[in-house]
Amino acid sequence: MADYLQVSTATETRDQAVALAEDAVRSRLAAGAQITGPVTSVFWHAGEFGTSEEYRLLLTTTAARYGELQDHLLANHPWQNPEVIAVPIEAGAPDCLAWIDRSTTD
């Protein structure tokens, strides 16, 4: 696994995304978060096809903090079965990666 990850999820409202982001960053589970939206999602859920307007939340963290971040997102997300996906950061500016380390250390 890569040392650094970008983790994404989505919420129905901007306020829900901001609340998740603030909790994760204050808890040092993520170094930072970005919220974009509204975005249009097209999906299958519970056997049905659907579309909705959502707010995308992208968090930056370390592999070491991912498990705790995932647990936090799942426990505090307004949806019962939210998408939580992590992708590796293959490269980054050294100062940025150091910031992620510092920001996710208790």
Side-chain angles (χ1 to χ4, degrees), residues 7-88:
V7 180
S8 66
T9 191
T11 62
E12 184 176 2
T13 69
R14 181 185 180 279
D15 289 344
Q16 291 168 339
V18 169
L20 283 174
E22 286 180 349
D23 288 347
V25 173
R26 280 194 175 122
S27 300
R28 296 197 177 270
L29 300 175
Q34 297 171 326
I35 298 162
T36 56
V39 298
T40 300
S41 290
V42 180
F43 53 85
W44 282 99
H45 180 71
E48 297 197 16
F49 180 80
T51 62
S52 69
E53 211 170 68
E54 300 173 350
Y55 287 80
R56 184 175 175 91
L57 173 58
L58 183 66
L59 303 114
T60 306
T61 193
T62 61
R65 296 307 303 252
Y66 175 73
E68 292 172 273
L69 176 59
Q70 176 185 274
D71 291 347
H72 177 81
L73 292 172
L74 294 174
N76 293 286
H77 202 288
W79 294 342
Q80 195 165 2
N81 185 27
E83 177 181 274
V84 176
I85 295 175
V87 295

